[in-house]
Amino acid sequence: MVGTHPHARFVTDEVLHRLFAPLQTLPKVGIKTAETLHRLDIFTPRDLLFHLPTGVQIHRVITTPTFVSPGESIILPCTVIKHPTGFSRLSRRIPAKVLVESPLGLLQLVFFQGFPSYIKSQFPLHQTVVIAGTPERVREVWQITHPTVMPSQYLQKKNLIEAIYPLTQGLRATVLRNLIQHVLGFFPWDNVRDSEWLNPDMCAKHNWPLFGEALWSAHHPVTLEDCSSSSPARKRLAFDEALMYQYYLQNIRATGKTHSGYAFVTHRQNHIRLLEAMPFALTSCQETAITEIHNDMAKPYPMRRLLHGDVGSGKTAVAAATIMQALSHGKNACLLSPTEILTKQHIRTFQNWFFPLGIRVHGVTGKTSHVDRSRILATLVDSPGSHIVIGTHALLHDDAWRASMGVVVIDEQHRFGVRQRMQLLAQTPSPDVLMMSATPIPRTMLLTVYGDLKTSALKTKPQGRKDVETRVMSCDRIHTIIEKLGALLRYGEKIFWVCPLVEESEHMAVIDVHTRYAILATHFGEEAVSLLHGRMKPEDKDSIFLRFSRGESKILVATSVIEVGVDVPDANVLIIENAERYGLAQLHQLRGRVGRGNAQAVCILLYGETVSATSMRRLTLLRTCFDGFALAEEDLKLRQGGDVIGTQQSGSIRFRILNPEEHLALMIEARALLANETPPQNQRDLWQKPHRDNQGIPGV
Ligand code: ADP
Ligand code: MG
């Protein structure tokens, strides 16, 4: 009931309207800035609102002579004494220096690559300018490189505290900060007392701020703790997100009960024909999972089942057996896969298995031309029961496609938004849906995050697979390792080298993927090494990956976020740099990239200088434990104990603020609350309106 809830006086329809306008409606945002923001998963002003700081920077305001330590961040007034002679004629390659008088005494401002005329206009002679920067002592003289000009009213404060936001290349901190402040300005802050829509007792019990207050303080942290996921403001916002997520989950589950579905009674003969086309016999786990799925499919209502298991546990074969049953009953089937690389891989596998059975496998991605799409669609409708379509979410846009599908398998299900799935599920009859997760999901998470969704697990791997030999070493040993790689390469080995994609806002002493690539390329030659990270264009990723799998390049330097499912059976060496930054489950998942063939694979976990005792324990556990389910449980325990690892969530779902591993209790509470209450419409919209077709809210 929009408008009747007091909350609607803060999250008004007008605010919502502005929050979901294109980014270009914001001041000084053009197509280029918008595209840069997309890299941070920001597609609308709303997304800026939920882009929260990871730290604080404190600048001390200095107006009288005082002690300053080099490297301290300060704000101070300064009076320009001198522009260096010949200033305007200086080449831009020589640093330009401006001499000023300040509370620190004489101070030199240094500019590399500045436009002299611009510098001059910013620092006019004999004028006083307020600047922020970090002073250094250079040969007895104080010097500040690239100071920022600040408004003079800052001199009235003792400190200036600025939020540090995650950035991306090409985006300046001040630009992002200003945009976020602008978007916060959409809300009628006079009505902030009306921003609450939760029961007051509930907020009091947890000591939570009101929604509006939480939003404000999340963007105005004073200490580092304010930026942690356990701060009251963050928890409050995380709770809202948990609630919205649970709300949608409830709707999805409802479609499994209220919508009619197909009864695909198991066609044994076709099932056996498919098994005969596979180059292996099923493991008993695979058989059990398939039986569970076939039982669901035989019933007249739609299947909603989750299949989870480690990378390499053989989910693809289960997917194929699922699809076979819909085909046997004259319906088509589709397999949604999150990336182009995985799509191509699945197409190859399915062609091998289904071609002998006279079934056609089509690939449809965002790049497929309109003409091709129409042609494929025509054949789907013409001869139903003999087509499998494999592709990315681009597939789901069209009603006619969806209607021809008897079953939909969603690989790496967490990459697809709930909104998309709602579209898929809400039609009648509703297709059977099998969701697949490439990480084992701990029991407690299953219950709270996935609700009463039925699940099947692949707990053991296909036989003949050896455990990956896992070693733990200090980063100090990296030179020795690089030397040894030379020998391995001569034996024709392929090597994965994983390191972080360090963004500008991170100050940690880690080597990023670009630097490591440069080092290895210098050592082994550019031909032998390639670089892959999530920020690349899909086409580039594809071709780089292809080069590696064909053996044209021998070392693939990559970030951890890329393509978990990729299959390069003859890659047997994996090196993970700064392994202490990842969670157990994530390391285990990365480790699953090697040892997919029959040779003995090796994984080397390198830890940096700052490794804690707990991280060390975690790394050593990996040496002896190879059970993804056990590791996932252990990982969850560690996270709940507040032992926050790195910045990445190990788990299966991407949220904006909520971290399901740490905020599990909030998820449980949200589920309980939902039994009696429905969140008001404008609150739901605020969190869940999709900003792009393939985004939507993350989740099951
Ligand atoms: P997942 O999708 O779970 O990561 P895949 O389905 O890609 O795993 O399977 C990993 C590898 O194991 C593939 O090369 C596949 O051909 C092989 N495989 C799957 N099932 C079996 C089995 N029952 N016996 C032997 N090999 C299998
Ligand atoms: Mg897979």
Side-chain angles (χ1 to χ4, degrees):
M1 279 186 279
V2 190
T4 57
H5 200 282
H7 183 66
R9 296 190 10 134
F10 186 72
V11 186
T12 62
D13 290 349
E14 198 224 320
V15 169
L16 280 175
H17 183 73
R18 296 178 73 186
L19 285 177
F20 288 94
L23 284 172
Q24 280 97 313
T25 55
L26 299 173
K28 296 193 203 148
V29 177
I31 185 78
K32 206 162 152 266
T33 310
E35 277 173 2
T36 311
L37 288 167
H38 292 175
R39 291 212 300 267
L40 292 171
D41 250 345
I42 295 170
F43 295 88
T44 58
R46 186 275 311 267
D47 301 335
L48 282 163
L49 215 52
F50 295 145
H51 188 72
L52 297 186
T54 49
V56 288
Q57 164 109 45
I58 301 178
H59 307 273
R60 184 152 62 108
V61 176
I62 290 176
T63 47
T64 52
T66 178
F67 177 78
V68 170
S69 41
E72 185 183 350
S73 185
I74 57 172
I75 291 181
L76 76 175
C78 54
T79 310
V80 182
I81 300 178
K82 184 167 147 215
H83 292 154
T85 44
F87 185 61
S88 58
R89 275 178 279 116
L90 280 179
S91 145
R92 283 184 63 209
R93 259 176 287 154
I94 302 170
K97 290 181 181 165
V98 176
L99 192 67
V100 300
E101 175 68 44
S102 79
L104 300 182
L106 281 184
L107 173 68
Q108 224 164 26
L109 309 180
V110 182
F111 301 85
F112 293 93
Q113 300 216 326
F115 287 100
S117 56
Y118 178 73
I119 297 169
K120 242 179 176 171
S121 70
Q122 293 265 292
F123 296 94
L125 218 48
H126 311 307
Q127 305 267 323
T128 300
V129 181
V130 178
I131 58 164
T134 48
E136 302 293 337
R137 273 293 213 192
V138 180
R139 283 188 232 95
E140 302 302 305
V141 184
W142 282 111
Q143 184 169 300
I144 293 182
T145 307
H146 292 170
T148 316
V149 176
M150 307 295 278
S152 58
Q153 60 266 32
Y154 283 139
L155 290 183
Q156 268 120 51
K157 305 185 187 172
K158 268 170 81 180
N159 288 314
L160 172 71
I161 301 175
E162 280 187 317
I164 301 176
Y165 288 96
L167 291 174
T168 184
Q169 202 162 33
L171 183 67
R172 285 193 303 133
T174 38
V175 172
L176 182 62
R177 212 175 278 139
N178 291 341
L179 284 175
I180 290 171
Q181 288 303 322
H182 179 82
V183 174
L184 282 172
F186 291 176
F187 289 94
W189 289 99
D190 289 344
N191 296 349
V192 70
R193 302 299 315 166
D194 288 332
S195 70
E196 195 49 74
W197 60 278
L198 285 176
N199 185 326
D201 295 343
M202 172 134 198
C203 294
K205 181 177 104 192
H206 290 283
N207 214 357
W208 281 340
L210 303 173
F211 173 76
E213 290 170 348
L215 197 59
W216 182 264
S217 39
H219 285 286
H220 297 88
V222 178
T223 63
L224 191 59
E225 286 84 76
D226 294 338
C227 300
S228 91
S229 52
S230 54
S231 76
R234 294 277 171 114
K235 276 186 150 172
R236 163 65 222 251
L237 296 176
F239 181 76
D240 279 21
E241 188 171 26
L243 197 78
M244 298 313 146
Y245 171 71
Q246 291 291 344
Y247 176 75
Y248 268 73
L249 201 60
Q250 197 180 50
N251 285 344
I252 286 191
R253 282 195 300 263
T255 64
K257 301 198 178 96
T258 56
H259 285 56
S260 63
Y262 302 104
F264 296 135
V265 178
T266 312
H267 195 298
R268 288 296 308 167
Q269 213 178 334
N270 279 351
H271 179 56
I272 289 164
R273 283 172 68 208
L274 172 68
L275 297 190
E276 280 166 2
M278 291 182 180
F280 43 72
L282 294 180
T283 63
S284 62
C285 274
Q286 282 169 322
E287 276 177 0
T288 311
I290 291 171
T291 307
E292 289 164 349
I293 291 165
H294 284 179
N295 285 344
D296 281 2
M297 293 179 83
K299 293 178 184 144
Y301 27 80
M303 168 169 78
R304 303 287 181 256
R305 185 175 279 274
L306 176 74
L307 174 68
H308 62 141
D310 268 333
V311 172
S313 57
K315 291 183 287 292
T316 319
V318 178
T322 306
I323 283 173
M324 186 73 235
Q325 289 310 315
L327 298 172
S328 304
H329 289 80
K331 295 298 289 183
N332 297 318
C334 86
L335 173 65
L336 291 186
S337 106
T339 66
E340 309 247 328
I341 294 175
L342 284 170
T343 301
K344 289 203 179 116
Q345 205 164 287
H346 283 317
I347 291 173
R348 265 187 313 242
T349 312
F350 275 64
Q351 269 168 347
N352 288 339
W353 294 346
F354 284 97
F355 184 73
L357 310 178
I359 286 157
R360 293 190 51 196
V361 180
H362 314 267
V364 175
T365 66
K367 276 189 288 182
T368 310
S369 72
H370 200 71
V371 181
D372 287 344
R373 275 178 74 112
S374 321
R375 215 191 43 232
I376 297 172
L377 181 58
T379 62
L380 292 187
V381 180
D382 257 12
S383 50
S386 51
H387 302 273
I388 300 173
V389 185
I390 302 185
T392 50
H393 58 82
L395 258 176
L396 289 181
H397 294 327
D398 200 315
D399 292 343
W401 288 87
R402 292 201 301 266
S404 96
M405 301 301 168
V407 67
V408 178
V409 178
I410 310 179
D411 193 12
E412 308 266 323
Q413 46 82 30
H414 64 279
R415 306 235 204 155
F416 296 90
V418 165
R419 199 50 83 133
Q420 285 164 288
R421 268 174 267 171
M422 285 302 287
Q423 247 181 7
L424 179 72
L425 306 181
Q427 62 192 30
T428 9
S430 183
D432 283 337
V433 177
L434 179 69
M435 301 170 219
M436 306 204 291
S437 158
T439 37
I441 301 167
R443 274 184 53 79
T444 30
M445 285 278 279
L446 274 182
L447 276 173
T448 51
V449 181
Y450 296 87
D452 47 14
L453 207 66
K454 291 179 185 157
T455 55
S456 299
L458 295 182
K459 294 209 170 179
T460 58
K461 294 209 176 161
Q463 289 187 343
R465 210 63 64 69
K466 298 186 193 75
D467 290 333
V468 177
E469 184 186 329
T470 306
R471 297 186 207 157
V472 180
M473 291 183 202
S474 157
C475 275
D476 293 349
R477 305 267 307 274
I478 235 160
H479 297 291
T480 331
I481 291 167
I482 292 179
E483 291 311 319
K484 291 214 173 115
L485 289 188
L488 289 174
L489 290 181
R490 282 194 291 281
Y491 280 113
E493 289 287 357
K494 282 185 194 167
I495 295 153
F496 278 115
W497 189 306
V498 174
C499 41
L501 177 80
V502 175
E503 291 294 346
E504 286 166 52
S505 75
E506 297 185 60
H507 305 295
M508 284 174 250
V510 298
I511 292 211
D512 66 289
V513 73
H514 298 281
T515 315
R516 182 52 70 204
Y517 166 75
I519 294 171
L520 293 172
T522 317
H523 203 276
F524 295 109
E526 280 191 21
E527 275 300 292
V529 190
S530 30
L531 170 67
L532 188 65
H533 59 76
R535 297 272 155 85
M536 290 174 157
K537 289 199 198 115
E539 306 88 87
D540 295 347
K541 282 200 257 182
D542 278 4
S543 68
I544 288 165
F545 189 75
L546 215 60
R547 278 195 58 208
F548 180 65
S549 61
R550 285 203 201 113
E552 289 158 23
S553 67
K554 308 285 183 198
I555 304 180
L556 186 69
V557 184
T559 51
S560 63
V561 289
I562 48 123
E563 331 309 351
V564 250
V566 292
D567 200 2
V568 186
D570 56 348
N572 289 311
V573 182
L574 168 70
I575 295 165
I576 305 178
E577 202 166 342
N578 289 107
E580 75 279 4
R581 287 167 53 100
Y582 306 98
L584 266 179
Q586 200 185 6
L587 287 170
H588 176 66
Q589 197 179 341
L590 284 169
R591 181 166 67 175
R593 295 231 193 103
V594 292
R596 294 173 77 97
N598 286 323
Q600 176 62 56
V602 182
C603 166
I604 300 176
L605 303 173
L606 293 170
Y607 56 86
E609 287 165 19
T610 55
V611 63
S612 69
T614 331
S615 302
M616 258 332 255
R617 270 203 300 282
R618 193 161 46 229
L619 296 184
T620 26
L621 181 62
L622 283 162
R623 281 204 324 224
T624 48
C625 183
F626 299 92
D627 176 349
F629 284 83
L631 287 169
E633 293 284 353
E634 193 61 28
D635 197 42
L636 185 61
K637 260 189 248 155
L638 286 169
R639 280 166 191 267
Q640 298 219 283
D643 179 29
V644 182
I645 312 143
T647 51
Q648 278 147 345
Q649 295 170 13
S650 72
S652 39
I653 303 173
R654 267 186 320 188
F655 290 97
R656 289 170 193 283
I657 295 169
L658 183 78
N659 181 336
E661 283 98 351
E662 285 167 52
H663 295 137
L664 202 58
L666 294 182
M667 279 289 227
I668 296 170
E669 195 160 355
R671 237 168 99 77
L673 180 70
L674 211 56
N676 320 311
E677 269 176 62
T678 303
Q681 180 69 45
N682 51 0
Q683 184 65 7
R684 282 173 354 219
D685 282 348
L686 178 65
W687 285 95
Q688 313 220 303
K689 246 166 111 164
H691 38 61
R692 238 180 29 177
D693 270 329
N694 65 332
Q695 300 292 324
I697 70 155
V700 165

